[in-house]
Amino acid sequence: MSDKDTALRQQAMSEIVTHETTVSGDPYRLSFHHMPPVGLMNDPNGLIQWKGEYHLFYQWMPFKPDHGEKFWGHYISKDLVHWKHEEIALAPSEWYDKDGCYSGSAVSHEDTLYLFYTGNVFNDKGDQEEYQCVATSTDGVHFEKKGPVIHVPDGYTGDFRDPKVWKQEQKWYMVVGAKNQNSQGKVLMYESDDLLQWEFIGPIAGSNENRLGDFGYMWECPDVFELDGTDILLVSPQGLQPDGMKYNNTYQTGYFAGELSFTEPSLEHGAFVELDRGFEFYAPQTFIDNKGRRIMFGWMGVPEQMEQSHPTVSSKWIHCLTVPRVLEWNGEQIIQSPVPELEEMREAVLLHSEITIENDQKAIRGIEGRPIELQIDFEQLDDQFAIELFHYISFSYTKRDGTLTLSRPHLEDKSQTEFRRTVLHEELNKLHILIDTSSIEIFVNGGKEVFTSRMFPQPEDEDILFTSLGETTFSIEQWKLSGYVYE
């Protein structure tokens, strides 16, 4: 480890100690979502289950609640509920990553853990250069940097990042997000026999590829995997313009489903589908665990989207990750659900059966507070149903056109209201809602649609109100949640 690397780690730890009281005193600190100890958290990285433990790395700027020269922070868990916050995995200390150890992934090979990440550099002219780099570890905690293994190919710009690596039969493959010299976002594929020597085999998807047409100037955080025989490309394209209910965040995240050819290379795919309909969701990554489950974490944030208007900035921190979610393919779309291990956080259940509300707004005895989990099953819904949480954020369903709507105060102009909407192509029958101190994740009809967002109500407000136009009958279960346990 270089002297600069050691110094950066010491400086980061000093920031944690200096601001510990300010950060921990913030009422918006979360109970069961990963946050930075200080500064800014963004993309989940290096997700893997290795030697029986789940490893979750994350992008981290410890010196300010804003973007900059990123580190890799590190959490480890045996069960996705009990977590240890490990020492820093990567620091931006070398010539090839001095302006940030950007996003990447992890694989295991011959009893060694490999981290692939993007080394970010601004050269003497101020131009961005990005390299795909590797670091290795035999204990899962201490990593030795091996330096760059891939440089920008001809025809592409310095926007070249976020390597995701996996093994297919006897070959290793990597996809990288890129922008070509015509400002078209692409996903590039590489192959390798040994994880160190890589051959560029071409773009598999992107703007103006595979009959897609113009679709953004940069594709970030690509992830390729199979779900029940269908190949999925998960990606975060930048540069999409709003289109009715679609693409209303600053940058979007979604997936293409189809069939991947490794010889062409090409992904023959269908339409782009937004993975999450909320205000804050970006840069997700997946992995397979020892149970064969495809598990995903996402970043509960969006780059350049009113970030400095989050009230936690004044407490020296910003952003968090989603809960881990299991992904499944139902033959038509991805279905998302919280990992069942989270049920360990539940306290005693409160159940109300056959509640009927008609043209009224009501509270329901005991249904209140944070953090909680709600399961709502609908028996009858004539017209419109809504939940208002803490006089701040509202979620509604209109039966006549199937519209789901999430609304909250605009983060910059609180006299205005923001909306995120989509159409549910079947009747609403179930809501599963995870509510933390300053976040909400809503799973609709078993995870066919999901809304993920931050929320910043008055800390003391515990009210949850239910509204029905026409008659609505439903049952509701509530659990108070104990939260993650940290060592």
Side-chain angles (χ1 to χ4, degrees):
M1 187 179 297
S2 67
D3 290 344
K4 183 177 180 182
D5 196 290
T6 300
L8 284 169
R9 291 167 183 267
Q10 291 173 346
Q11 291 166 20
M13 296 308 294
S14 178
E15 286 293 306
I16 295 174
V17 173
T18 298
H19 300 294
E20 182 177 11
T21 300
T22 299
V23 171
S24 63
D26 189 340
Y28 294 124
R29 291 293 280 181
L30 295 130
S31 174
F32 59 95
H33 292 82
H34 293 301
M35 304 164 289
V38 68
L40 177 141
M41 169 186 277
N42 59 312
D43 307 2
N45 292 159
L47 305 182
I48 192 170
Q49 189 178 19
W50 189 64
K51 296 186 176 181
E53 295 183 317
Y54 293 97
H55 290 256
L56 166 61
F57 302 87
Y58 63 90
Q59 289 284 282
W60 181 35
M61 161 43 69
F63 304 126
K64 58 183 178 179
D66 201 353
H67 296 276
E69 299 79 12
K70 302 295 177 60
F71 292 62
W72 274 37
H74 188 191
Y75 286 103
I76 295 177
S77 176
K78 293 185 183 298
D79 61 3
L80 299 172
V81 174
H82 297 78
W83 293 90
K84 181 180 181 182
H85 200 183
E86 265 295 351
E87 61 184 79
I88 294 166
L90 299 173
S93 58
E94 309 306 317
W95 69 264
Y96 48 81
D97 62 15
K98 68 181 183 67
D99 295 307
C101 298
Y102 279 12
S103 290
S105 57
V107 295
S108 174
H109 179 55
E110 295 181 347
D111 210 35
T112 298
L113 186 60
Y114 287 71
L115 299 186
F116 289 87
Y117 70 100
T118 297
N120 186 59
V121 175
F122 291 100
N123 63 26
D124 293 340
K125 297 179 181 179
D127 297 327
Q128 188 174 34
E129 300 173 358
E130 293 189 320
Y131 308 91
Q132 309 320 313
C133 306
V134 66
T136 61
S137 174
T138 55
D139 65 5
V141 175
H142 305 94
F143 292 88
E144 180 183 356
K145 292 181 180 179
K146 303 295 185 181
V149 292
I150 297 177
H151 295 245
V152 178
D154 291 341
Y156 290 86
T157 72
D159 286 300
F160 174 64
R161 53 186 171 268
D162 312 332
K164 180 65 189 294
V165 178
W166 76 100
K167 194 171 189 180
Q168 190 88 11
E169 297 179 349
Q170 300 305 310
K171 286 271 189 186
W172 293 98
Y173 292 92
M174 177 194 295
V175 286
V176 184
K179 179 201 291 187
N180 70 11
Q181 292 177 346
N182 295 319
S183 293
Q184 298 169 341
K186 306 284 183 179
V187 172
L188 310 184
M189 180 178 279
Y190 291 77
E191 65 179 12
S192 174
D193 293 318
D194 63 2
L195 291 172
L196 297 177
Q197 303 296 320
W198 291 88
E199 180 183 356
F200 177 47
I201 57 176
I204 61 165
S207 188
N208 295 298
E209 299 279 350
N210 306 328
R211 302 175 300 280
L212 181 62
D214 187 28
F215 208 76
Y217 58 79
M218 174 64 192
W219 284 23
E220 292 196 312
C221 302
D223 189 352
V224 172
F225 52 91
E226 182 184 316
L227 276 182
D228 299 323
T230 297
D231 292 323
I232 302 293
L233 168 61
L234 197 62
V235 69
S236 297
Q238 298 182 329
L240 304 185
Q241 297 303 309
D243 180 12
M245 294 184 186
K246 299 188 297 184
Y247 316 149
N248 284 290
N249 284 331
T250 300
Y251 303 121
Q252 320 311 320
T253 291
Y255 65 92
F256 297 94
E259 184 174 356
L260 177 63
S261 169
F262 290 87
T263 56
E264 297 297 334
S266 179
L267 177 71
E268 290 296 320
H269 59 73
F272 180 73
V273 180
E274 287 183 87
L275 192 63
D276 196 285
R277 310 292 184 167
F279 293 100
E280 279 88 23
F281 184 87
Y282 195 73
Q285 187 177 113
T286 74
F287 69 105
I288 290 182
D289 75 352
N290 294 342
K291 299 177 182 178
R293 302 178 298 180
R294 176 64 58 175
I295 297 177
M296 179 188 74
F297 283 86
W299 176 37
M300 210 180 292
V302 177
E304 301 171 33
Q305 183 171 287
M306 298 182 290
E307 292 177 273
Q308 293 307 301
S309 295
H310 286 224
T312 65
V313 168
S314 62
S315 296
K316 305 297 184 182
W317 72 281
I318 186 172
H319 298 318
C320 63
L321 302 182
T322 68
V323 296
R325 304 173 184 177
V326 176
L327 302 187
E328 297 176 292
W329 182 254
N330 72 352
E332 297 180 349
Q333 67 176 107
I334 289 178
I335 303 298
Q336 304 176 60
S337 57
V339 295
E341 285 91 334
L342 300 184
E343 295 175 9
E344 183 180 333
M345 301 187 301
R346 291 174 174 175
E347 299 179 1
V349 65
L350 172 63
L351 170 64
H352 292 277
S353 298
E354 296 187 346
I355 299 164
T356 297
I357 303 175
E358 184 174 5
N359 297 319
D360 199 1
Q361 182 179 72
K362 292 183 178 179
I364 298 173
R365 178 178 52 83
I367 306 298
E368 61 185 11
R370 290 168 275 168
I372 60 170
E373 178 181 359
L374 300 177
Q375 292 264 21
I376 304 173
D377 292 283
F378 295 90
E379 300 166 27
Q380 177 180 344
L381 203 164
D382 287 348
D383 187 5
Q384 190 175 59
F385 175 82
I387 307 172
E388 181 185 279
L389 299 117
F390 322 120
H391 302 99
Y392 182 88
I393 196 165
S394 176
F395 183 75
S396 66
Y397 168 73
T398 302
K399 184 175 181 178
R400 63 181 177 275
D401 58 10
T403 301
L404 298 166
T405 302
L406 185 69
S407 62
R408 72 176 183 195
H410 194 281
L411 292 185
E412 290 182 340
D413 182 358
K414 297 193 172 44
S415 67
Q416 303 294 318
T417 300
E418 297 184 276
F419 299 94
R420 293 292 182 270
R421 294 186 171 100
T422 193
V423 173
L424 184 64
H425 296 290
E426 61 187 27
E427 290 193 7
L428 177 65
N429 56 62
K430 183 184 292 288
L431 293 175
H432 183 188
I433 307 176
L434 298 177
I435 301 168
D436 209 333
T437 48
S438 60
S439 73
I440 185 167
E441 291 164 90
I442 304 171
F443 299 83
V444 182
N445 283 9
K448 290 184 176 179
E449 296 289 354
V450 183
F451 289 75
T452 299
S453 291
R454 299 301 303 279
M455 60 176 183
F456 304 105
Q458 293 298 314
E460 66 277 6
D461 197 329
E462 297 191 335
D463 294 341
I464 298 177
L465 301 174
F466 300 83
T467 301
S468 175
L469 297 180
E471 184 176 314
T472 301
T473 301
F474 59 95
S475 298
I476 185 168
E477 292 176 284
Q478 174 188 276
W479 296 267
K480 302 287 187 182
L481 298 177
S482 59
Y484 289 158
V485 179
Y486 292 99
E487 292 185 23

